[in-house]
Amino acid sequence: MKNPGDPLPQGIEIGALSRIVRHHFADRIEQVIHPLGLTLGQWTVLRELKRAPGASASELARAAVHTPQAVSRLVRTLQEEGLVERSPARGRVVDNHLTAKGHQLVDETFVRIEARLAPALEKFGRADAEEFRRLSRLLVKALEDSA
């Protein structure tokens, strides 16, 4: 039996650290978006539509790591709030786009989130932040390739 102070196997430790980082990021983001009337799921869909205008619900689901059904519900709610508009595209596929109000809200959340994260991220130099991005992308690609 392992002692409580023994390190975790490398892959498990990286996974645990990733989960902790995700938790802290999500918490800081929620502190910003909840007063604006958004859930983390809604904000994630809006963010992805900013990044990929016209994305379908299934494309948004893959990017947001949700089920297509959950994303469809989120998109409908965002549409009712005037943040997203939907239009027929390819067969049964529906394209989703941010409205002007949706763009404005996403841009506002980006500014507020950056300000909320700045104190923590200032502890990283520019080179460290770029290296973290590079290594994170490399890990994502490696995990996708090995799926």
Side-chain angles (χ1 to χ4, degrees), residues 8-145:
L8 295 170
Q10 185 177 3
I12 294 171
E13 184 178 22
I14 289 173
L17 287 171
S18 297
R19 175 110 172 108
I20 292 166
V21 168
R22 185 203 167 282
H23 167 77
H24 285 291
F25 263 81
D27 183 56
R28 298 318 178 277
I29 290 168
E30 287 176 336
Q31 290 171 8
V32 170
I33 64 173
H34 279 233
L36 298 173
L38 292 172
T39 66
L40 189 56
Q42 291 170 329
W43 180 80
T44 302
V45 168
L46 292 172
R47 182 199 65 209
E48 288 305 314
L49 283 175
K50 175 82 173 182
R51 191 184 64 73
S56 68
S58 62
E59 292 165 337
L60 290 170
R62 281 190 296 278
V65 194
H66 287 299
T67 65
Q69 296 82 4
V71 168
S72 291
R73 285 190 300 274
L74 291 168
V75 169
R76 276 195 302 277
T77 300
L78 294 168
Q79 182 182 23
E80 290 167 5
E81 294 176 12
L83 300 169
V84 171
E85 57 190 10
R86 308 180 81 202
S87 59
R90 307 150 277 187
R92 293 182 0 176
V93 176
V94 175
D95 282 345
N96 300 286
H97 296 273
L98 293 175
T99 62
K101 181 180 173 183
H103 277 286
Q104 183 179 0
L105 182 59
V106 171
D107 291 346
E108 181 181 345
T109 64
F110 283 178
V111 170
R112 290 182 182 202
I113 289 167
E114 285 296 316
R116 181 65 184 92
L117 295 174
L121 297 178
E122 286 171 356
K123 298 186 186 310
F124 287 85
R126 185 176 181 96
D128 288 338
E130 278 306 313
E131 182 68 359
F132 180 77
R133 283 186 200 93
R134 186 187 73 74
L135 291 172
S136 295
R137 287 183 190 113
L138 183 64
L139 179 57
V140 168
K141 173 98 172 83
L143 290 169
E144 288 173 347
D145 290 348

